[in-house]
Amino acid sequence: MTDTANRPTEADDPYLLSAGETARVLADAPWKRLAVVGDSGAEGVTEAFEGYRCLPWGERFVEELRSVQPDLAFVNLGLRNLFAAQVRETQLAPALEFRPDLAVVFSGGNDMLQRHFDIDAVESELERVIVPLRETGCTVLTSGLFDITNSPYVEERYRKPMSERIAAWSERTKQVAARLGAVHVDLPRHPAGTEEIYSTDGLHLNARGQAILCTEIVRSLAGHLQAR
């Protein structure tokens, strides 16, 4: 974890984009309708962290995208405690009705925390959300997970099995994204994963983690635009 005396702030965090940089890297962004689908990761459950605005990644990202698309329409359907099947059952239809041209899908985290984790079944649920969105021409973004077991708030007995599941689910999500033509954020490799980015509940990102996640979403979409 970061030495408190040398702790960064939002103004000088080395992992965040500088002022105006988002507008530059997303200058050609075509998206005008953004939908967020998923569990608490999508909802943006967070807590305050000194030196950072206490904003979930979704609100931050809307701010950033509106710097190039001022009339962006936005809906966040994400809700904590939902399993992947519940995300599909309750959020896919309203997401499609919203007619997004960009959708962020964060799902599977709650399934992973259960005693039995059927990774193949959860993968199927993720696909059943992504495919209908992609069939409309929507750009879909998924993400791996920071390894929360680096947080001091996770009990020692859970660290090894949870870390293994996080790695497995992150890799599976990455494979699904590649197969279905979705944009993917590869968080497990991010150096901030061992720093002070976690909430004290041992499950979610704090305000700094939310800011870093938003930045990585921007960077991944910018890479997608360049590749296209």
Side-chain angles (χ1 to χ4, degrees):
M1 292 293 177
T2 305
D3 186 337
T4 303
N6 298 313
R7 180 183 285 170
T9 67
E10 189 165 341
D12 59 12
D13 194 311
Y15 301 128
L16 303 185
L17 294 171
S18 60
E21 195 172 354
T22 294
R24 180 183 64 80
V25 300
L26 291 183
D28 298 325
W31 305 294
K32 296 182 179 180
R33 300 185 67 80
L34 167 65
V36 177
V37 173
D39 50 31
S40 58
E43 182 183 353
V45 175
T46 191
E47 70 180 18
F49 187 76
E50 185 177 358
Y52 294 77
R53 294 179 298 158
C54 194
L55 288 177
W57 71 267
E59 292 184 26
R60 287 178 173 274
F61 181 55
V62 168
E63 284 185 358
E64 302 285 13
L65 199 50
R66 281 181 175 156
S67 69
V68 294
Q69 288 288 2
D71 297 325
L72 176 76
F74 170 58
V75 62
N76 189 339
L77 301 167
L79 188 63
R80 71 192 71 190
N81 298 326
L82 294 186
F83 298 122
Q86 294 172 311
V87 169
R88 174 185 56 79
E89 291 164 357
T90 62
Q91 298 178 20
L92 177 58
L96 291 170
E97 290 171 5
F98 181 72
R99 295 178 290 107
D101 51 11
L102 174 63
V104 177
V105 180
F106 292 165
S107 183
N110 288 311
D111 303 77
M112 185 186 64
L113 295 175
Q114 302 309 299
R115 182 180 296 275
H116 175 65
F117 177 41
D118 186 342
I119 193 170
D120 295 327
V122 180
E123 175 185 358
S124 176
E125 292 294 346
L126 182 63
E127 290 182 350
R128 293 173 69 185
V129 172
I130 294 175
V131 168
L133 289 165
R134 292 288 297 133
E135 288 177 344
T136 69
C138 179
T139 300
V140 175
L141 181 140
T142 65
S143 177
L145 301 169
F146 284 114
D147 188 346
I148 194 73
T149 65
N150 288 307
S151 163
Y153 309 112
V154 175
E155 291 184 38
E156 183 62 36
R157 58 179 171 152
Y158 296 130
R159 289 183 186 278
K160 185 176 185 295
M162 187 182 294
S163 182
E164 291 173 350
R165 286 187 178 187
I166 289 170
W169 180 237
S170 294
E171 181 59 29
R172 188 67 67 93
T173 305
K174 183 178 180 179
Q175 293 171 3
V176 170
R179 185 166 67 250
L180 300 180
V183 182
H184 185 71
V185 183
D186 197 6
L187 290 181
R189 303 178 189 278
H190 199 289
T194 58
E195 298 186 15
E196 291 182 290
I197 64 169
Y198 304 109
S199 296
T200 55
D201 65 3
L203 293 172
H204 300 103
L205 298 176
N206 63 24
R208 184 187 184 212
Q210 299 285 336
I212 293 171
L213 172 57
C214 175
T215 293
E216 292 310 307
I217 290 172
V218 169
R219 285 179 169 143
S220 295
L221 288 171
H224 168 73
L225 290 172
Q226 291 176 346
R228 191 182 64 173

